[in-house]
Amino acid sequence: MAALDDLYKEIILDHYRSPRNQGELDHPAHRCEGFNPLCGDEVIVYVALNDGKIDDIKIGGQGCSISQASASMMTEIVKGKSIEEAELVIHAFKEMMDIYETELSGNKKIESTVSDIDLGDLEALQGVVKYPVRIKCATLAWNTLTQSIDEVTNTSL
Amino acid sequence: MNLDVNRIKQDFPVLQRVINGKSLVYLDSANTSQKPDSVISAMGDYYNNSNANVHRGSYQLANEATAILESARDKVAGFINANNRQEVIFVKNATEAINLVSNTWGRVNLNQGDVIVLTELEHHANIVPWHMLAKEKEIEIRWVKVGDDGHLDLSNFDTLIDGAKLLSFAAMSNVLGTFTPVKEMSERAHTAGAKVLIDASQYTPHSQTDVQELGADFLTFTGHKLLGPMGIGVLWGKEEILDAMPPFLGGGEMILNVTKEGFSTNDLPWKFEAGTPMVAEAAGLGAAIDYLNEIGMDKVRSHEISLMDYALTKLQNDFGDSITIYGPKDATERGGVLSFSFEGAHPHDIAQILDEDNICIRAGHHCAKPLMQVLGVGATSRASAYLYNDESDIDVLAEGLRKVRDIFNPN
């Protein structure tokens, strides 16, 4: 059970049972859907951006404990942050998930530029790395937030 | 006579695997079945002794390879009681078989405004090819609903089938395990003038399949759920319908003659088998059919009924309201498939925790998203059994589910 205890930490189960910032935001907040075709998980990220800042964020959809807890913690950490700050957090979280940007040569860039970012409760998700299939669960909301930011930034150009 | 499951387990090398000191409890056979020694060695024998291309060589090896391929076809024809061997087409899997029908019969016979009827039980392989054709040809898809009891709701079936050109449906649900009333639906569809395609991917491994008795025009299944290898499936069709259909893939083997001006098609079944076929896989499928015939499909079925009866009773008794089991409650109305929700835990979490004890189940939408919507869930956990499972496997599953409860609802 040791490995499972490492995965299912109490803080993760708490966010799963009582997800923070769950719900919807009305227009003009941006709505973006993400899917994990492997298990059918679905996340809907609503972000209200104001002056380059994430004023509000809500999460809809359904999924496993890892995807739901990760989404819930994500909303807590990025709410109130500027887009630039949020992008740094996203970057740091993905590095914790062992996902690094790839250089053109195909090699991983392994020197972190964001190692000083404090991920707080999100550190509890580190146990996920031992279960490669679950990394997709943990990163689903994050990828959807990235897509959301891209869509908003591109349409406002 | 009950099956001697302990002896049967010995025939399956992978079931002997021990990981982290624990035996394998394989409950994902609706996804893919395990393979007995005889299937694996039939494939090895082909490559070790007879590998050559079929229908082309004039030497002994080539003749042996051709005989291996064509004798597998005879075994399949016998297994499903086809009228003749020309009606058995080898394809990659059931998905390809349905795509073959939608691309050939469908393209020729369906036009703008035409209607086809599917059911809410279908998996994506029997939905997406029709969506693709519907978009291209502007045809209408009607859906037979699933009732709360997991059975198809046929109360408005005559209205749905009225004017339809095709009814395409699963003989057994891969999610709920439900056996559908194939014969009755085929008859009513034929009365309405529709052709009938039966997706028997789940049905054929669990029950005697008799295409003449079932009354279909097409029937499809895949080898790998039937103790056979991945990479081979079967399309069975009535000879006169297959004869009238245009070919699917073009190339070698499917032609009689080719000139700079055009080509003429080969006879059935080769008309639909372009290119070098899957000979080792055919050898494996033939060996799988031999294995099942030796045991007897009636015994496979009765074993499954008693095992599902045990599982339904045990899980309900052990977990009461904490578990929701989908589909018919009567084991005689379902195959060896058991989908459930448990303790508010997500199926992906359940599968992960069970994996810690080497218990293999499937978590997810089972390639049947429309059915998930009907059930009102995003995903289910699915334990599916076959002839090599027994009550001890169900007991280990129940133990594993207690661990899930300890993590998600410790009080």
Side-chain angles (χ1 to χ4, degrees):
Chain A
M1 291 288 274
L4 281 181
D5 289 343
D6 213 25
L7 184 65
Y8 294 113
K9 294 201 170 89
E10 194 46 46
I11 181 98
I12 291 177
L13 294 171
D14 178 60
H15 276 269
Y16 176 55
R17 292 187 192 111
S18 325
R20 327 294 199 258
N21 297 305
Q22 200 177 30
E24 300 179 9
L25 290 175
D26 291 333
H27 186 77
H30 186 73
R31 180 185 188 279
C32 190
E33 286 181 14
F35 293 96
N36 182 354
L38 175 81
C39 51
D41 284 3
E42 185 180 338
V43 67
I44 307 161
V45 176
Y46 299 87
V47 274
L49 291 167
N50 197 4
D51 268 349
K53 199 178 107 204
I54 299 175
D55 257 3
D56 203 358
I57 178 164
K58 295 264 190 216
I59 298 286
Q62 42 78 31
C64 66
S65 63
I66 303 301
S67 77
Q68 295 297 91
S70 183
S72 171
M73 292 185 207
M74 177 187 83
T75 63
E76 286 195 313
I77 199 167
V78 300
K79 197 167 164 179
K81 284 196 162 53
S82 70
I83 289 179
E84 290 74 22
E85 288 166 337
E87 280 176 334
L88 285 176
V89 173
I90 294 170
H91 195 149
F93 179 74
K94 289 208 170 167
E95 285 195 355
M96 187 176 82
M97 290 292 112
D98 214 17
I99 300 168
Y100 295 90
E101 285 180 9
T102 308
E103 292 173 338
L104 279 178
S105 63
N107 295 326
K108 276 180 179 176
K109 255 187 205 163
I110 45 168
E111 298 96 86
S112 174
T113 49
V114 288
S115 53
D116 53 336
I117 299 225
D118 179 13
L119 287 171
D121 286 354
L122 283 161
E123 305 266 2
L125 283 164
Q126 199 144 27
V128 170
V129 178
K130 282 187 215 146
Y131 300 89
V133 177
R134 303 308 290 275
I135 293 175
K136 281 203 170 125
C137 308
T139 52
L140 178 62
W142 298 80
N143 290 334
T144 312
L145 177 62
T146 303
Q147 193 187 335
S148 198
I149 290 172
D150 286 351
E151 284 173 6
V152 175
T153 334
N154 287 337
T155 44
S156 58
L157 278 178
Chain B
M1 271 295 283
N2 291 333
L3 286 188
D4 184 354
V5 177
N6 279 332
R7 200 199 61 73
I8 288 174
K9 277 188 197 222
Q10 299 305 314
D11 294 336
F12 291 77
V14 80
L15 297 181
Q16 315 312 314
R17 256 197 94 172
V18 174
I19 305 174
N20 296 328
K22 290 169 185 161
S23 304
L24 194 69
V25 174
Y26 189 77
L27 290 169
D28 198 20
S29 294
N31 206 345
T32 192
S33 67
Q34 294 301 347
K35 326 299 175 199
D37 254 331
S38 59
V39 167
I40 300 165
S41 56
M43 298 176 75
D45 280 351
Y46 164 70
Y47 280 122
N48 283 324
N49 298 308
S50 308
N51 180 52
N53 213 330
V54 295
H55 297 140
R56 286 164 179 80
S58 45
Y59 45 91
Q60 180 164 340
L61 253 55
N63 293 339
E64 286 174 11
T66 303
I68 286 169
L69 175 72
E70 295 304 333
S71 76
R73 195 186 312 277
D74 291 331
K75 286 175 187 178
V76 171
F79 191 63
I80 61 173
N81 195 27
N83 251 325
N84 61 57
R85 65 192 316 280
Q86 292 92 291
E87 296 182 332
V88 175
I89 318 282
F90 285 136
V91 288
K92 187 170 66 179
N93 45 38
T95 301
E96 186 176 287
I98 296 172
N99 277 276
L100 191 162
V101 176
S102 73
N103 274 282
T104 59
W105 182 88
R107 280 235 173 89
V108 170
N109 291 286
L110 298 175
N111 295 300
Q112 190 180 14
D114 281 347
V115 173
I116 63 170
V117 178
L118 308 176
T119 87
E120 288 179 342
L121 286 177
E122 303 318 311
H123 64 149
H124 297 163
N126 194 24
I127 298 175
V128 182
W130 304 114
H131 272 320
M132 289 163 71
L133 192 66
K135 199 173 171 194
E136 181 188 319
K137 292 278 199 169
E138 296 179 41
I139 57 178
E140 181 193 346
I141 301 176
R142 293 179 188 159
W143 298 85
V144 180
K145 288 193 175 307
V146 181
D148 292 338
D149 57 359
H151 286 291
L152 290 176
D153 173 6
L154 296 180
S155 57
N156 63 339
F157 185 70
D158 288 331
T159 315
L160 290 172
I161 202 74
D162 184 38
K165 291 269 179 77
L166 177 75
L167 167 67
S168 186
F169 70 111
M172 177 187 146
S173 160
N174 69 320
V175 176
L176 302 179
T178 316
F179 280 110
T180 56
V182 177
K183 210 176 154 185
E184 179 197 339
M185 288 171 73
S186 298
E187 278 170 9
R188 287 166 73 175
H190 282 145
T191 305
K195 293 278 183 275
V196 175
L197 186 154
I198 295 172
D199 172 10
S201 300
Q202 296 293 337
Y203 183 87
T204 300
H206 298 273
S207 202
Q208 186 73 57
T209 302
D210 182 330
V211 290
Q212 301 189 53
E213 166 80 13
L214 293 172
D217 298 294
F218 300 106
L219 182 135
T220 68
F221 62 94
T222 193
H224 72 92
K225 295 186 201 290
L226 189 76
L227 308 182
M230 293 180 179
I232 188 164
V234 170
L235 168 67
W236 168 87
K238 278 187 183 154
E239 189 175 4
E240 66 270 24
I241 300 175
L242 293 174
D243 250 339
M245 279 157 53
F248 180 40
L249 302 175
E253 190 76 24
M254 53 74 73
I255 48 92
L256 277 184
N257 190 26
V258 181
T259 63
K260 284 195 273 186
E261 286 70 41
F263 71 98
S264 56
T265 53
N266 202 342
D267 297 331
L268 289 173
W270 307 291
K271 169 180 160 186
F272 292 106
E273 294 181 357
T276 295
M278 53 302 257
V279 184
E281 287 73 14
L285 179 60
I289 287 172
D290 287 343
Y291 187 89
L292 287 167
N293 278 338
E294 197 169 313
I295 287 169
M297 287 308 291
D298 50 338
K299 280 190 188 159
V300 172
R301 178 69 191 127
S302 59
H303 170 69
E304 245 167 38
I305 292 173
S306 73
L307 187 57
M308 280 299 109
D309 198 36
Y310 178 80
L312 287 163
T313 309
K314 170 147 184 83
L315 295 179
Q316 208 66 71
N317 285 347
D318 284 14
F319 301 112
D321 292 342
S322 302
I323 195 165
T324 304
I325 298 171
Y326 300 101
K329 297 289 172 275
D330 184 339
T332 60
E333 296 169 3
R334 61 190 298 153
V337 166
L338 215 143
S339 280
F340 58 92
S341 297
F342 182 67
E343 289 278 12
H346 189 276
H348 207 162
D349 291 313
I350 293 174
Q352 177 95 63
I353 294 166
L354 294 178
D355 178 51
E356 211 65 14
D357 288 324
N358 253 351
I359 306 163
C360 313
I361 66 157
R362 167 108 189 253
H365 52 60
H366 316 294
C367 297
K369 284 191 97 170
L371 179 57
M372 294 290 117
Q373 284 159 14
V374 172
L375 298 176
V377 293
T380 70
S381 304
R382 182 186 70 183
S384 53
Y386 208 1
L387 73 173
Y388 38 65
N389 293 112
D390 58 17
E391 293 176 1
S392 72
D393 295 324
I394 304 300
D395 293 343
V396 178
L397 172 67
E399 279 306 310
L401 288 176
R402 281 190 190 91
K403 286 189 188 171
V404 175
R405 178 155 70 187
D406 288 343
I407 289 174
F408 278 87
N409 286 312
N411 306 316

